[in-house]
């Protein structure tokens, strides 16, 4: 056997940190099939709450959106086999009156799980809600946070999508300057995620009503690929095409799929500019 054949294929070697993310990605696919994403108006409200609480960056708003989406999904799924008349109407009305509180709690959970140092106390949330004309007690805020945490199965990712995208960017050899820009691209992708997923469904099936969604890990890889495609001169050690192949290998997805996500992200960002 030749020396070259004994050498490991570096393109097939996955970093150790990706294993848990791949597992989480599989769980996301199986546990939330048919999950409805927040539309643009809803995402704007979550972003506004995150800004009010002082956590606009590092993927916190996008993470909070995902937690709120999962909360709605699991809550309504638990009532799927029950009468949908007065009971369902009561649930919806109850959530309408508490929606800002639930959003604030999702931001709080996202902050807690993404940083050991960052904290948003219930008193801070109470003041933020008061500024929006909503009165809640500290006890109600604590109970609401516990409720959200329980409904989503006590599972909150330790890394935000921005964290993951930045790690992927480093893994494929992007320059330090471009890695810093990844957070902006990833945040924009999360902010417009509903539109991006709608375009991906159309590209895949010719219909926007087809069930299914882009996994968060694949969206992160697509954001990195978008950066590599849009700023090829900023690549430190490789070209954009090779970057896409490496990303696809890391996240266990076809290169064409990651490239398609990247193209949609670029198109969406440019159309919103």
């Amino acid at each position: 056997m030749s020396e070259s054949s004994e050498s490991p294929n570096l393109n097939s070697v996955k970093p150790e940190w990706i294993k848990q993310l791949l597992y989480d990605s599989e769980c996301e696919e199986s546990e939330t099939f048919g999950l409805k994403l927040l539309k643009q108006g809803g995402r704007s409200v979550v972003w506004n709450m995150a800004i009010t609480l002082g956590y606009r960056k590092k993927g916190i708003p996008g993470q909070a959106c995902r937690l709120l989406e999962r909360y709605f999904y699991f809550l309504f799924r638990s009532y799927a086999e029950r009468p949908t008349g007065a009971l369902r109407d009561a649930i919806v009305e109850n959530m309408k009156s508490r929606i800002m509180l639930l959003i604030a709690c999702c931001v709080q959970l996202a902050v807690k799980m993404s940083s050991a140092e960052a904290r948003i106390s219930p008193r801070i949330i109470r003041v933020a809600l008061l500024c929006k004309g909503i009165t809640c007690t500290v006890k109600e805020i604590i109970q609401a946070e516990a409720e959200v945490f329980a409904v989503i199965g006590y599972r909150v990712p330790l890394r935000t999508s921005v964290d993951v995208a930045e790690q992927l960017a480093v893994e494929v050899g992007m320059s330090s300057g471009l890695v810093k820009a990844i957070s902006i691209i990833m945040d924009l992708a999360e902010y417009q995620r509903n539109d991006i997923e709608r375009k991906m469904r159309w590209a895949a099936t010719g219909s926007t009503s087809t069930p299914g969604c882009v996994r968060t890990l694949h969206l992160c890889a697509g954001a990195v690929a978008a950066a590599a495609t849009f700023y090829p001169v900023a690549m430190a050690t490789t070209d954009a095409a090779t970057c896409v192949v490496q990303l696809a290998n890391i996240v266990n997805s076809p290169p064409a799929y990651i490239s398609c996500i990247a193209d949609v992200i670029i198109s969406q960002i440019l159309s919103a500019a």
Side-chain angles (χ1 to χ4, degrees):
M1 185 178 292
S2 66
E3 182 179 350
S4 60
S5 63
E6 292 177 350
S7 301
N9 182 358
L10 296 180
N11 286 335
S12 65
V13 177
K14 298 185 190 301
E16 188 67 25
W17 57 265
I18 198 66
K19 292 181 180 179
Q20 183 60 46
L21 295 180
L22 289 171
Y23 173 76
D24 290 342
S25 182
E26 292 295 331
C27 291
E28 179 182 21
E29 175 74 9
S30 61
E31 292 178 359
T32 58
F33 180 78
L35 177 144
K36 300 294 184 182
L37 294 179
L38 293 175
K39 294 185 178 181
Q40 199 58 54
R43 304 186 88 79
S44 296
V45 174
V46 175
W47 246 257
N48 180 268
M49 179 61 75
I51 292 171
T52 301
L53 293 171
Y55 287 92
R56 163 67 179 83
K57 299 180 179 179
K58 296 303 293 181
I60 295 299
Q63 185 85 294
C65 282
R66 198 62 175 173
L67 296 180
L68 187 62
E69 289 161 352
R70 287 175 58 203
Y71 171 79
F72 289 151
Y73 175 80
F74 287 119
L75 183 68
F76 280 106
R77 193 174 72 172
S78 68
Y79 289 99
E81 297 179 357
R82 302 185 186 185
T84 59
L87 177 59
R88 184 180 182 88
D89 292 341
I91 295 169
V92 172
E93 286 302 316
N94 180 53
M95 283 200 300
K96 283 182 180 179
S97 64
R98 302 171 64 229
I99 186 62
M100 296 305 293
L101 172 59
L102 294 171
I103 290 173
C105 289
C106 287
V107 174
Q108 183 182 32
L109 283 171
V111 170
K112 281 183 176 180
M113 299 306 290
S114 66
S115 173
E117 298 178 357
R119 287 289 184 272
I120 302 176
S121 71
R123 294 185 184 279
I124 292 176
I125 291 179
R126 181 172 179 271
V127 172
L129 291 173
L130 279 172
C131 292
K132 297 180 181 296
I134 301 168
T135 303
C136 291
T137 65
V138 169
K139 182 178 180 180
E140 287 173 333
I141 293 169
I142 294 173
Q143 289 176 338
E145 182 192 10
E147 175 195 338
V148 172
F149 198 32
V151 169
I152 63 177
Y154 303 102
R155 294 183 70 247
V156 179
L158 294 177
R159 296 180 179 91
T160 67
S161 55
V162 168
D163 293 331
V164 175
E166 288 178 343
Q167 283 186 285
L168 288 172
V170 172
E171 195 66 37
V172 298
M174 284 190 171
S175 64
S176 58
L178 190 54
V179 169
K180 293 179 181 178
I182 287 293
S183 62
I184 299 174
I185 296 173
M186 191 66 235
D187 261 335
L188 288 171
E190 284 282 15
Y191 184 64
Q192 301 185 50
R193 185 166 182 165
N194 185 61
D195 291 333
I196 289 172
E197 293 213 4
R198 178 174 52 80
K199 290 181 178 180
M200 285 297 299
R201 287 196 298 272
W202 177 262
T205 66
S207 171
T208 58
S209 60
T210 305
C213 62
V214 177
R215 300 185 198 179
T216 301
L217 182 59
H218 295 163
L219 186 68
C220 294
V224 176
T229 303
F230 204 66
Y231 303 105
V233 296
M235 295 297 294
T237 61
T238 186
D239 59 273
T242 303
C243 173
V244 170
V245 173
Q246 291 176 334
L247 287 167
N249 174 67
I250 292 172
V251 302
N252 286 349
S253 183
Y257 181 59
I258 300 302
S259 181
C260 183
I261 296 175
D263 290 342
V264 171
I265 289 175
I266 292 173
S267 172
Q268 191 64 32
I269 291 175
L270 291 178
S271 66

